[in-house]
Amino acid sequence: SQKIEQNSEALNIQEGKTATLTCNYTNYSPAYLQWYRQDPGRGPVFLLLIRENEKEKRKERLKVTFDTTLKQSLFHITASQPADSATYLCALGSGGYQKVTFGIGTKLQVIP
Amino acid sequence: EAGVVQSPRYKIIEKKQPVAFWCNPISGHNTLYWYLQNLGQGPELLIRYENEEAVDDSQLPKDRFSAERLKGVDSTLKIQPAELGDSAVYLCASSSRTSGDYEQYFGPGTRLTVT
């Protein structure tokens, strides 16, 4: 069956360091992959999309990679700040542009 | 631009009672989604609308859940009767076909507690 894996354990890093979050998937051939940020008590907020034919995409301090051979996406936040503390969800899209499946998310805590 | 609006934000009901949630999507967004999110989990799709048509409701427990999107704008999600296991956050999201990144815009959610 299709499976999306994100590290369920919280990731704690020091302010200024680069945070790297992982999204692995099995039995899935996504056309694209999205990353969302979710703060407590709020709905997810879209950050980035990367397509299956793209290796890397950047937006300000964010960088996403997509390796369809390894079936993995890495999400990097450089020069992390305490304001980056949140849960980050990956979502895989296929079967039409609007159909996505979310992972469980990884909680990031940036320590001042 | 106003975001996705949901109401109520919180709802506490006793089991076997009915409950309804309302969603107003971003103006012009033809696609509307209802998700369920349990604590520590990602959003799980319940139903997706394209305008007035429910195009994906395979995960909607139709024995107790129902949804409608009249005139292709606002939508309501109903549970009748509610069970203890229905306690969760119900998220509404909308998106536009013209968006190249297929991003979904989420509302703040309705936190349902069934006692």
Side-chain angles (χ1 to χ4, degrees), chain A residues 41-43, chain B residues 4-6 9 89-92 106-111:
Chain A
R42 295 179 178 269
Chain B
V4 175
V5 179
Q6 289 188 250
R9 289 296 314 276
V89 175
Y90 291 82
L91 294 164
C92 179
F106 284 82
T110 297
R111 181 176 296 278

Side-chain angles (χ1 to χ4, degrees), chain B residues 11 13-19 21 35-39 46 61 63-65 77-90 110-115:
Chain B
K11 189 74 175 180
I13 61 171
E14 295 183 345
K15 61 182 181 182
K16 300 185 182 180
Q17 294 300 306
V19 65
F21 314 125
Y35 290 91
L36 176 154
Q37 187 173 28
N38 288 302
L39 188 65
L46 290 172
D63 56 336
R64 297 184 300 107
F65 286 66
L77 177 69
K78 298 178 182 178
I79 307 175
Q80 183 171 10
E83 296 179 352
L84 293 176
D86 296 331
S87 295
V89 175
Y90 291 82
T110 297
R111 181 176 296 278
L112 174 67
T113 301
V114 182
T115 64

Side-chain angles (χ1 to χ4, degrees), chain A residues 32 34 36 38 41-46 49 51 57 89 97-100 102-104, chain B residues 9 31 33 35 37 40-43 48 50 56 97 100-104 106-108:
Chain A
Y32 61 89
Q34 297 173 319
Y36 288 80
Q38 186 171 25
R42 295 179 178 269
V45 175
F46 172 79
L49 173 144
R51 291 176 171 78
K57 183 164 283 188
L89 301 155
Y97 82 96
Q98 295 135 320
K99 186 175 179 66
V100 297
F102 285 86
I104 66 171
Chain B
R9 289 296 314 276
T31 309
Y33 314 75
Y35 290 91
Q37 187 173 28
Q41 301 295 315
R48 173 167 62 96
E50 289 291 337
D56 186 352
R97 280 190 172 272
D101 280 348
Y102 316 144
E103 63 265 40
Q104 297 184 27
F106 284 82

Side-chain angles (χ1 to χ4, degrees), chain B residues 17-106:
Chain B
Q17 294 300 306
V19 65
F21 314 125
W22 176 80
C23 174
N24 178 242
I26 291 174
S27 177
H29 282 191
N30 60 301
T31 309
L32 184 146
Y33 314 75
W34 282 103
Y35 290 91
L36 176 154
Q37 187 173 28
N38 288 302
L39 188 65
Q41 301 295 315
E44 299 173 27
L45 182 69
L46 290 172
I47 190 168
R48 173 167 62 96
Y49 281 93
E50 289 291 337
N51 301 309
E52 304 90 357
E53 183 182 0
V55 296
D56 186 352
D57 63 355
S58 58
Q59 301 303 309
L60 189 72
K62 298 181 183 64
D63 56 336
R64 297 184 300 107
F65 286 66
S66 64
E68 61 181 8
R69 190 184 184 194
L70 299 176
K71 300 182 180 179
V73 182
D74 294 2
S75 178
T76 57
L77 177 69
K78 298 178 182 178
I79 307 175
Q80 183 171 10
E83 296 179 352
L84 293 176
D86 296 331
S87 295
V89 175
Y90 291 82
L91 294 164
C92 179
S94 68
S95 66
S96 169
R97 280 190 172 272
T98 61
S99 167
D101 280 348
Y102 316 144
E103 63 265 40
Q104 297 184 27
Y105 293 83
F106 284 82

Side-chain angles (χ1 to χ4, degrees), chain A residues 24-26 28 30 52 54-55 66-73:
Chain A
N24 295 303
Y25 59 93
T26 55
Y28 214 120
E52 60 178 334
E54 297 176 315
K55 295 293 186 184
F66 195 7
D67 189 325
T68 55
T69 301
L70 292 179
K71 296 186 182 298
Q72 180 182 78
S73 175

